[in-house]
Every structure is written in C-alpha cells, then in structure tokens.
Amino acid sequence: GVVFVSFSSILIRKSISPSLIIAFYRMFFTWLFIVPSILLNKRSELKNIDKKTLTLSIVSGVFLGFHFATWISSIKYTSIASSAILVNTHPIMIVIGSYIVLKERISRKELLSIFITFLGSIMISWGGFSIGQNAVYGNTLAILGAVFVACYMMIGRVSRQKISSATYTFIVYLSCSITLLLLTYYSKIPLYPYSLKEFLIFLGLAVFCTMFGHSIFNWSLKYLKPSFVSISILGEPVLATLWAIIFFSEVPSIWTVFGGITVILGIFLYYK
C-alpha cells in the first residue's frame, strides 16, 4: 500500500493537466470502479442510512476534495519531498483539532510530538524561503492539505460508527468528486479535451494509488493495529523522495532532509 501511494506525487508531476482536473478524474474514476460492488452488496444500507450520518459523510467528502485540490496543487510549486512530508503531518493536525473541537486532553507525549513535528515543518518551510516564493506557496498548500485531510478523518471517525466502510467510501468519494467538479467549474477549467496519456495518468492514480494504496490500508486494519498502519504510512514521503531523485533528478535540500527526518520522528513518537 505504501509503495503504491508513494507513486502519487510522481504521476501528478508527470501530468501537464491543471491540478483540479487531476484531482477530479482521480476521484471520479475511483468512485466509478466501486459503484457496481456497492449497488450489488450495499443497496439496502444506502437506502436506510440516517440523515445525520449521510450529512456527515457528505461533509467529510467535501473536506477530502479540498485536501486533493490543495495537495495536488502543491506538487506543482514545491519539491515532491517537501509536499509529501508536509501533507503527512495530518496526525498532528488531528490531535490539535481533537483538542479544540472535541475537547480531548493532550498528553505530554503528544505535546512533545506536536513540538517536534512543528519544528520539522519550520525547517522545510525555511528551505522553501531559500528556494523562492513558489516553494513557499507550495509548502503552504501542502500544509492546508494536511489540515483538510485531518478534518476528513475526524468527521469520518464519527460517521463510520453507523455505516460500513464500503458505504462510507461510496458516499465520500461521490461527494469529493462533486466538490472537485464544482471547484473546476468555478475556476473555469474545461473538463476536456485531454490527451490519452493524461487519462492514463488519471486512471493510474485511481487504480494504483487510490484503490491499491488507500484501499489496502483500509483492508489491512482488519488484521493489523491502526498504530502500525499509521507508522507504515510514514514510508510514503521517504519513497516519494527516492522516486523523485530517480525520475526527475530532484535532490532534496539539506533543510528538507533534516526537516523531513524531524517531522517523521515527531509523528513516530506520537504513535509509539
């Protein structure tokens, strides 16, 4: 799952399409692939879902849409390493959000994790200043992507208590696709024409990075501890950085390397 997900940044960088188009087709194709299974196996659950759970699932999908819109855009402006590392600070965002919204207490270990992760993020952002304004803008978009995916996960934690993972995913991906479609329309970006190569990239993101990546994480939760899965995902920015070096000769700056190590240590401490 980690290997497949780590190729997301590479495929996005290979595409010449607008970021919102990449995000829309990725999620729309993924949703289309799961429609037959849902209609065959979860039709009764869809019909009987209560209004509150449905609303929460839709809102969760809206946040997921904004996550993809900001994070995919960030790859166009900053390095793959910086983008992948910063967007994976979402566990720390969840801790902060749980404290503010859900009034959950923060332990000393969690506070230390937040401080270490924040310190690493500052290092990466500082490196962006030395590269230029585009990198700073890209890093900011990646951080926003982490905030939006944290909101998506927090809302999902509530709605998933009432419905199955498959039904929740169906609603969220549809809501996410509609959100991205509306953002595309508002931005006056045409949905077509795009080359065959571009559509193959969109399909690759949907099949390999989303279904074989994120779906494997969801499947593995039945057999593995959530903490183990979460720590494993920290391998994504490491592999993404490696692929960036191989495919684009994009060697990360010293600030990105030290900042990335610091961020990963902070998140690892949180799950330890």
Side-chain angles (χ1 to χ4, degrees):
V2 173
V3 172
F4 280 120
V5 167
S6 68
F7 277 102
S8 296
S9 303
I10 303 303
L11 289 174
I12 291 167
R13 182 64 67 83
K14 285 283 187 181
S15 175
I16 59 173
S17 300
S19 300
L20 285 174
I21 289 295
I22 299 172
F24 166 70
Y25 279 114
R26 172 181 182 170
M27 298 313 299
F28 180 63
F29 286 158
T30 304
W31 179 77
L32 284 179
F33 285 133
I34 66 174
V35 166
S37 174
I38 295 298
L39 293 181
L40 285 173
N41 304 311
K42 299 293 181 180
R43 190 181 301 176
S44 60
E45 185 179 24
L46 275 173
K47 288 181 179 179
N48 298 319
I49 187 171
D50 64 272
K51 191 174 293 184
K52 180 183 177 181
T53 303
L54 177 61
T55 302
L56 284 173
S57 300
I58 291 172
V59 173
S60 180
V62 171
F63 277 113
L64 183 62
F66 279 105
H67 157 70
F68 279 115
T70 50
W71 174 63
I72 289 178
S73 297
S74 75
I75 298 173
K76 303 288 187 179
Y77 294 96
T78 190
S79 69
I80 288 175
S82 295
S83 176
I85 293 166
L86 291 174
V87 81
N88 276 287
T89 59
H90 57 79
I92 303 303
M93 306 294 184
I94 292 175
V95 176
I96 298 172
S98 298
Y99 174 76
I100 296 173
V101 179
L102 303 178
K103 307 301 180 183
E104 294 181 356
R105 297 184 64 182
I106 301 179
S107 66
R108 290 182 179 179
K109 188 187 77 170
E110 289 172 337
L111 278 173
L112 180 60
S113 300
I114 291 170
F115 174 75
I116 293 173
T117 305
F118 182 66
L119 185 64
S121 300
I122 290 175
M123 290 183 189
I124 295 171
S125 299
W126 186 266
F129 279 108
S130 64
I131 296 172
Q133 289 300 314
N134 281 348
V136 175
Y137 179 62
N139 289 343
T140 303
L141 287 173
I143 292 172
L144 281 174
V147 172
F148 287 132
V149 81
C151 294
Y152 151 73
M153 289 181 174
M154 290 176 64
I155 297 171
R157 186 166 61 181
V158 178
S159 58
R160 270 285 287 114
Q161 305 301 315
K162 299 290 184 69
I163 55 176
S164 67
S165 176
T167 300
Y168 172 71
T169 301
F170 174 83
I171 298 169
V172 165
Y173 283 4
L174 176 59
S175 173
C176 176
S177 298
I178 293 173
T179 300
L180 291 166
L181 181 63
L182 291 174
L183 288 173
T184 302
Y185 175 78
Y186 178 78
S187 302
K188 297 181 179 178
I189 300 173
L191 290 175
Y192 62 88
Y194 296 98
S195 67
L196 176 61
K197 174 192 171 185
E198 292 299 299
F199 276 101
L200 288 175
I201 290 175
F202 304 154
L203 280 171
L205 286 166
V207 175
F208 296 105
C209 302
T210 307
M211 297 188 71
F212 289 171
H214 294 285
S215 297
I216 286 180
F217 295 148
N218 294 333
W219 171 82
S220 67
L221 287 171
K222 183 178 179 180
Y223 306 98
L224 300 170
K225 293 180 179 180
S227 57
F228 177 83
V229 176
S230 299
I231 292 173
S232 299
I233 295 174
L234 294 181
E236 179 193 348
V238 177
L239 288 176
T241 302
L242 177 62
W243 306 146
I245 294 172
I246 294 172
F247 291 106
F248 301 111
S249 300
E250 188 178 286
V251 180
S253 68
I254 193 68
W255 284 107
T256 301
V257 172
F258 282 117
I261 292 171
T262 306
V263 167
I264 291 173
L265 282 175
I267 299 174
F268 180 81
L269 176 64
Y270 168 71
Y271 283 116
K272 187 67 174 174

